[in-house]
Amino acid sequence: REMEPGQFTDPIRSPAGFHIVKDNDHRENRQIMAEEFRANHILIETNELVSEQDAMQIARDLRQRIVDGEDFAELARERSDDPTSANLGGDMGWFPPQQFGDRFGAMLTSLEDGEVSEPFQSQAGWHIIQRVGFRETDVTDEAMANMARQTIMQRRAESEVESYIRQMREEAFVEIRLPG
């Protein structure tokens, strides 16, 4: 740790022999931070009974009721078609902005805390979101675990490929016939 990049150690003895180590570069462990948002959500799904136009109008009416002072959570419990968040008053918990798609993430990041979005459409239907909070979370441990998992899987895949090639070579029959 005391070495500077480019420096060499004196010879170091180990059970495997003598070693000279050169410090090419070193980095400090840095935190990996991720943005997370907390939001409330109302979803109006389109289906055989509710057309896109009807869903859009329902979403607009609900947003106006929220702007006029009605409780977002109560309206979410009564009217949201999202089975995960409806019973929680629309509470989606903390999540990264792109977890529910680019359109959802773009709308969420454009809002301030406490602000309610205009109704917008995604593949799931029409949405109204209320941004509740924003935070940056340390995801260093998760990132390191994912890197380790990927490295192990890559090594296993390489080992399997080598094993397959070795097996194919062992099973191959080559007959060389020379004109004669």
Side-chain angles (χ1 to χ4, degrees), residues 168-177:
M168 295 303 291
R169 286 180 181 152
E170 290 172 0
E171 294 174 0
F173 174 74
V174 177
E175 183 178 337
I176 300 174
R177 295 184 181 191

Side-chain angles (χ1 to χ4, degrees), residues 38-45 62 66 72-93 95 100 104 107-108 115-117 120 122 124-132:
R38 186 167 190 156
N40 296 326
H41 173 245
I42 296 175
L43 169 66
I44 307 300
E45 289 182 330
L62 288 172
I66 293 165
F72 192 105
E74 192 59 39
L75 288 174
R77 281 187 200 91
E78 293 172 6
R79 300 300 307 267
S80 182
D81 294 327
D82 181 4
T84 306
S85 68
N87 292 335
L88 303 172
D91 186 4
M92 301 175 77
F95 57 91
F100 299 105
F104 200 96
M107 184 61 74
L108 189 61
E115 192 175 357
V116 177
S117 74
F120 65 97
S122 77
W126 282 85
H127 306 268
I128 305 169
I129 53 177
Q130 178 185 46
R131 182 169 144 175
V132 176

Side-chain angles (χ1 to χ4, degrees), residues 121-171:
Q121 188 177 23
S122 77
Q123 292 178 350
W126 282 85
H127 306 268
I128 305 169
I129 53 177
Q130 178 185 46
R131 182 169 144 175
V132 176
F134 169 80
R135 71 180 182 189
E136 287 192 346
T137 304
D138 182 1
V139 293
T140 306
D141 292 341
E142 293 91 3
M144 298 298 275
N146 285 337
M147 285 174 40
R149 195 175 300 110
Q150 288 175 344
T151 301
I152 290 169
M153 290 180 70
Q154 183 178 359
R155 287 182 183 162
R156 283 184 184 166
E158 289 170 359
S159 174
E160 288 296 320
V161 168
E162 288 176 21
S163 175
Y164 178 74
I165 290 171
R166 196 174 318 110
Q167 179 183 355
M168 295 303 291
R169 286 180 181 152
E170 290 172 0
E171 294 174 0

Side-chain angles (χ1 to χ4, degrees), residues 41-55:
H41 173 245
I42 296 175
L43 169 66
I44 307 300
E45 289 182 330
T46 57
N47 54 40
E48 304 82 36
L49 302 175
V50 180
S51 70
E52 285 189 29
Q53 282 295 101
D54 292 341

Side-chain angles (χ1 to χ4, degrees), residues 22-78:
K22 177 184 177 187
D23 184 349
N24 290 327
D25 189 17
H26 58 268
R27 297 179 215 152
E28 296 297 322
N29 284 341
R30 294 195 176 116
Q31 286 183 321
I32 300 171
M33 302 300 286
E35 293 181 343
E36 291 185 330
F37 291 89
R38 186 167 190 156
N40 296 326
H41 173 245
I42 296 175
L43 169 66
I44 307 300
E45 289 182 330
T46 57
N47 54 40
E48 304 82 36
L49 302 175
V50 180
S51 70
E52 285 189 29
Q53 282 295 101
D54 292 341
M56 178 181 67
Q57 191 56 50
I58 293 168
R60 284 182 177 164
D61 292 344
L62 288 172
R63 184 186 186 281
Q64 188 58 50
R65 288 171 62 182
I66 293 165
V67 169
D68 290 342
E70 288 194 48
D71 184 41
F72 192 105
E74 192 59 39
L75 288 174
R77 281 187 200 91
E78 293 172 6

Side-chain angles (χ1 to χ4, degrees), residues 3 8-23:
M3 292 175 53
F8 292 90
T9 63
D10 292 330
I12 301 169
R13 185 178 196 152
S14 79
F18 288 93
H19 308 275
I20 297 176
V21 178
K22 177 184 177 187
D23 184 349

